[in-house]
Amino acid sequence: MSRNFTEMLDEYTKNKSNQSKEAKDAFLFLKQKIDSAQGFINAVKQRQNTLLITMQTIINLQKPFFLEGDESLLKPMILKDVAEKTKLDISTISRVSNSKYVQTNYGIYPLKYFFSDGYVTQDGEELSVREIKMILKECLDSEDNKKPYTDDELAEMLKQKGYPIARRTVAKYRQQLNIPVARLRRS
């Protein structure tokens, strides 16, 4: 804020008794604008603090990724996990992480990138959906183009690798990876 404005306010406060109506009106106008500006400054500081707390929590929860840069090290994490750690509302975490990016040693990522659902394997290991999609993509990359795998075959392959997911889930993940059905992959 302008130092001139705050000096004018100080001057008015010292000489309140000798002021005209115009000077009083100018004082009230000036005071209102300074209060409004201070409110705006406080809101920006609070937003900055909320973003900082949220980002620090994401870094703590996804520490292996930030140390190594390996996508497979990302753990399942949902908005609720960050909200509980920061003691902020889930909707606040959602707003803070929406349309925001972070620059890391491994590239620039949207904050939403670090959130994904989890999946628990047969032996109790928790995996992110992202990791299951990577394994599914590996299976599809190694298929024979003349006889591509069906979703049922892919579900069975994943089951053998320790990821017992339903055929419907395989189809959903395949679609999310923009990979067509088996008959359209045939060459």
Side-chain angles (χ1 to χ4, degrees):
M1 287 190 287
S2 170
R3 182 171 285 148
N4 292 341
F5 290 150
T6 53
E7 288 172 0
M8 285 171 64
L9 278 178
D10 289 342
E11 184 69 31
Y12 176 81
T13 342
K14 289 176 186 172
N15 298 323
K16 257 187 183 178
S17 58
N18 299 337
Q19 298 295 325
S20 67
K21 180 173 175 8
E22 290 82 22
K24 287 179 184 178
D25 289 344
F27 167 77
L28 289 174
F29 176 80
L30 190 57
K31 181 159 177 31
Q32 181 186 18
K33 296 303 176 189
I34 287 176
D35 289 346
S36 177
Q38 191 59 52
F40 179 74
I41 290 168
N42 291 342
V44 169
K45 284 180 181 177
Q46 183 178 358
R47 183 176 178 166
Q48 182 181 18
N49 188 46
T50 302
L51 182 58
L52 191 63
I53 290 168
T54 301
M55 192 61 227
Q56 188 60 54
T57 302
I58 291 171
I59 290 170
N60 290 342
L61 290 170
Q62 299 291 7
K63 196 171 205 144
F65 170 81
F66 286 100
L67 292 173
E68 304 285 327
D70 184 357
E71 193 176 303
S72 67
L73 296 174
L74 285 171
K75 298 176 185 155
M77 181 179 76
I78 57 175
L79 294 171
K80 183 179 177 188
D81 298 332
V82 177
E84 287 173 354
K85 297 265 188 213
T86 59
K87 295 181 177 52
L88 295 170
D89 194 72
I90 291 176
S91 63
T92 302
I93 301 301
S94 178
R95 271 194 319 276
V96 166
S97 60
N98 195 22
S99 301
K100 308 284 187 320
Y101 294 82
V102 62
Q103 182 175 352
T104 70
N105 294 338
Y106 314 103
I108 297 173
Y109 297 94
L111 288 189
K112 290 283 186 188
Y113 176 81
F114 300 103
F115 294 93
S116 72
D117 288 335
Y119 184 82
V120 180
T121 63
Q122 290 170 327
D123 57 347
E125 183 184 356
E126 193 175 22
L127 297 172
S128 73
V129 168
R130 187 178 284 117
E131 186 171 346
I132 295 171
K133 286 181 183 178
M134 284 175 34
I135 294 166
L136 176 61
K137 182 137 177 47
E138 287 173 12
C139 291
L140 289 164
D141 288 344
S142 68
E143 75 181 354
D144 180 6
N145 291 346
K146 292 183 172 108
K147 192 176 182 296
Y149 300 125
T150 65
D151 290 343
D152 285 319
E153 291 170 328
L154 289 166
E156 184 57 37
M157 290 171 74
L158 289 171
K159 183 179 179 182
Q160 290 172 2
K161 293 180 184 237
Y163 310 104
I165 58 176
R167 181 207 52 79
R168 295 182 317 278
T169 308
V170 169
K172 179 174 95 174
Y173 293 168
R174 180 183 44 71
Q175 288 172 341
Q176 289 173 352
L177 291 168
N178 293 321
I179 298 172
V181 293
R183 64 183 169 77
L184 297 177
R185 295 194 313 269
R186 190 170 294 136
S187 59

